[in-house]
Amino acid sequence: MPMRQMKESSEQHLVIKTHLQNSMNPVQKTPKTAQNGKGPPSHEPQNAKPHSQTSPSSKNRGRRRGRGGRKSDQSDVFMRPSSRPCTVADKPVLAHQAGPLVTDIPHGCVENGGNMCEMEMGFPSSSKSLTFAPRPGYGQLGTKCIVKANHFFTELPEKDLNQYDVTITPEVSSRTVNRAIMNELVKLYKESDLGMRLPAYDGRKSLYTAGELPFAWKEFKIKLVDEEDGINGPKREREYKVVIKFVARANLHHLGQFLAGKRADAPQEALQILDIVLRELSTRRYCPVGRSFFSPDIRAPQRLGEGLESWCGFYQSIRPTQMGLSLNIDMSSAAFIEALPVIEFVGQLLGKDVLSRPLSDSDRVKIKKALRGVKVEVTHRGNVRRKYRVSGLTSQPTRELVFPVDDNSTMKSVVEYFQEMYGFTIQHAHLPCLQVGNQKKANYLPMEACKIVEGQRYTKRLNERQITALLKVTCQRPRDQENDILQTVQHNAYDQDPYAKEFGIKISEKLASVEARILPAPWLKYHETGKEKDCLPQVGQWNMMNKKMINGMTVSRWACINFSRSVQENVARGFCNELAQMCQVSGMEFNPEPVIPIYMARPDQVEKALKHVYHASMNKLKGKELELLLAILPDNNGSLYGDLKRICETDLGLISQCCLTKHVFKISKQYLANVSLKINVKMGGRNTVLLDAISCRIPLVSDIPTIIFGADVTHPENGEDSSPSIAAVVASQDWPEVTKYAGLVCAQAHRQELIQDLYKTWHDPVRGTVSGGMIRDLLVSFRKATGQKPLRIIFYRSLLCP
């Protein structure tokens, strides 16, 4: 299944089934049985529109350009989760946090291709003004069971929570330094000025206490000693002024009422304080990254290659639930730079011996990119372990480097300086030096005198091999993940946490047990010409044996480009023939012959090769469009996949399907079937539909024309401050099947969760006020595709948890 990166501050739920056994083996052909063992439901459709079982013409109507490909389409396994039936409710419901907003639109409200009329589009000024509709009831379908969730119930403290504003002068940008200052303040004044209170600090501007401090405003002076200067010689000392001022008292009664279901709005301030309190000790013990904590002690680090290693960590967040307050814990992994001597790191990075051979220009560029911004500590001064941040790499080897040692511009070589000053003989003078500190004032450190500081998260993009190695580490069976979560909770020992004790927070060490239901799998409808016209998935799995796509598309004009040196032309041709046959067997009309012969190309010339194949095909077709491009990629293809998709989607307007070399050599029927399903959907076809959909038996969907939206925002990784966030909105383009979806994406402000282009108005000099945006575009597209206006909107929105 494709993987999606979890948002930094979203809640992570893990559910472990205790009474179920889920086999991951491929499902064999099983006799058709319905829920009652007598075959598929046979109810007559109610007001169903005629449904065509024949393949559409080769024109491929409604195909939308610009669909983004996913990395997972190179090697997906055909294993899908079963759909979840709707339950009928008397009123439209907005599910808490992430669920559908169901809205009925009055007849005639969308006119002339989607202009809104007789409705005012109101937008709340903030999320705090939103009130979720009450839950209408609990599900009745399916088989009851008990599951364990990665939540640990928490007792609500009976103490006043107070917030204080913290101002540190001179201002400090580092949370680590801020925490060091406040730690020193608590150590010095806890028993006196702080009245024995143990405060929790967020590392920025806020301090929290259980009960009031003896003052409403007070100023402290704190001296902080730089411990990195070692034990020999004077230590650097800096003085800070800290002002603590009372701000507000959090209302825990409000939180209690919310948890009891007596109030609809969650008190975010109280939840935030409890979250910070429970994170305080972990912040001191571990390496905090976002809302997670990492340590090499949780589980032994695993090497990822090129000087990186994976650290195991855990995500932690306090959450209000229907069963009360709970602490959500989940395991996570991240890439860290291995704490190696710099020369050893460089050797791993380049994959060669750097002690005996000089570095090339490309080697220097790679080293510079990898080490820029990385903290190193010197190893040539005994106990003095000064730390520096790498700013660059010298273009000259160490033996050629000289620098001024006084105001008279007296020059001295780096080799001489280290020998005279520290008695350190540089052994590998052919290597460049690290540049540290300010670029204006040269400060050189030989590589052999430096070691990478432990605990630095790697924030750049991982290559294919590193991603594969990281996935192997993170992939766990539910039982193993359950054990890791329980061990983490026991190791954190929240019952012994001084901050939890101070604030009166008690946390259970047992996973929460939750009642659940195993819903019946939906019947799937396939084409009438196949041996199996319908299918009931077993344990969430099914296959395409004896089945044909319900709407198979036609591919008459296609080409293939081969970027893999190990795949010979005859092998590539054989693979394409097998794929074409599988597409035909699955229900598509697929021309076995490409427009032009398979084109061999180098991965480093992807743009040139793609444009050559495109233009050569267009010249051969004399005005007709090239419908599909097959691409054979090396297994480790670096940026090739992304570059190919970008060029095809944005420059050429060309639908593409990528296949890895390993699948070309080992042709699997299951793999070919998966690829044929992908191609059919990309071409605008439908592989299967729900039997209940074509029989008009889906609640809140089948009775009137309904459009289903889904929206989400993906944010850049931590440490990436310049990239935009990407908003994506999809909407169904058929009814009553709701199987085909069109998607739109747009870039917006960095880490902005509100979708800016969802709905917008602007003033046109001629037309006046004009409405538009992603919603309008998709509504218009729905009308063109179905011939009717949607009378109901169901909107799924994945929200960022506070």
Side-chain angles (χ1 to χ4, degrees), residues 306 342-343 345-352 354 357-374 390-394 431-435 447 452 458 460:
E306 297 189 12
V342 169
I343 285 185
F345 172 84
V346 169
Q348 285 198 25
L349 178 70
L350 301 179
K352 64 180 184 181
V354 297
R357 286 184 281 177
L359 300 177
S360 65
D361 291 340
S362 61
D363 290 338
R364 293 174 189 272
V365 171
K366 192 171 184 179
I367 296 168
K368 186 176 180 180
K369 286 178 66 175
L371 287 178
R372 183 185 289 142
V374 174
V390 178
S391 58
L393 196 70
T394 62
L431 294 174
C433 274
L434 301 179
Q435 286 182 267
M447 285 186 181
I452 293 172
Y458 184 77
K460 303 180 181 70

Side-chain angles (χ1 to χ4, degrees), residues 17 20-25 79 477 538-541:
K17 298 182 180 180
L20 296 175
Q21 187 172 3
N22 188 355
S23 171
M24 297 302 291
N25 295 327
M79 190 176 65
R477 291 187 179 276
Q538 301 291 329
V539 202
Q541 304 177 44

Side-chain angles (χ1 to χ4, degrees), residues 276-378:
I276 289 171
V277 169
L278 290 175
R279 294 171 62 84
E280 183 72 41
L281 190 60
S282 294
T283 301
R284 297 166 183 263
R285 285 178 174 174
Y286 309 114
C287 175
V289 177
R291 297 183 69 87
S292 296
F293 300 95
F294 295 91
S295 170
D297 300 326
I298 296 176
R299 196 194 302 156
Q302 301 293 315
R303 284 194 166 181
L304 302 178
E306 297 189 12
L308 303 185
E309 63 183 6
S310 69
W311 279 20
C312 183
F314 64 94
Y315 166 96
Q316 173 181 298
S317 178
I318 195 83
R319 294 289 170 185
T321 72
Q322 290 178 334
M323 299 174 73
L325 203 64
S326 79
L327 185 67
N328 177 218
I329 300 282
D330 197 12
M331 304 309 294
S332 56
S333 292
F336 281 75
I337 303 171
E338 199 170 349
L340 298 169
V342 169
I343 285 185
E344 189 176 336
F345 172 84
V346 169
Q348 285 198 25
L349 178 70
L350 301 179
K352 64 180 184 181
D353 178 21
V354 297
L355 299 180
S356 57
R357 286 184 281 177
L359 300 177
S360 65
D361 291 340
S362 61
D363 290 338
R364 293 174 189 272
V365 171
K366 192 171 184 179
I367 296 168
K368 186 176 180 180
K369 286 178 66 175
L371 287 178
R372 183 185 289 142
V374 174
K375 267 189 176 183
V376 296
E377 60 182 6
V378 295

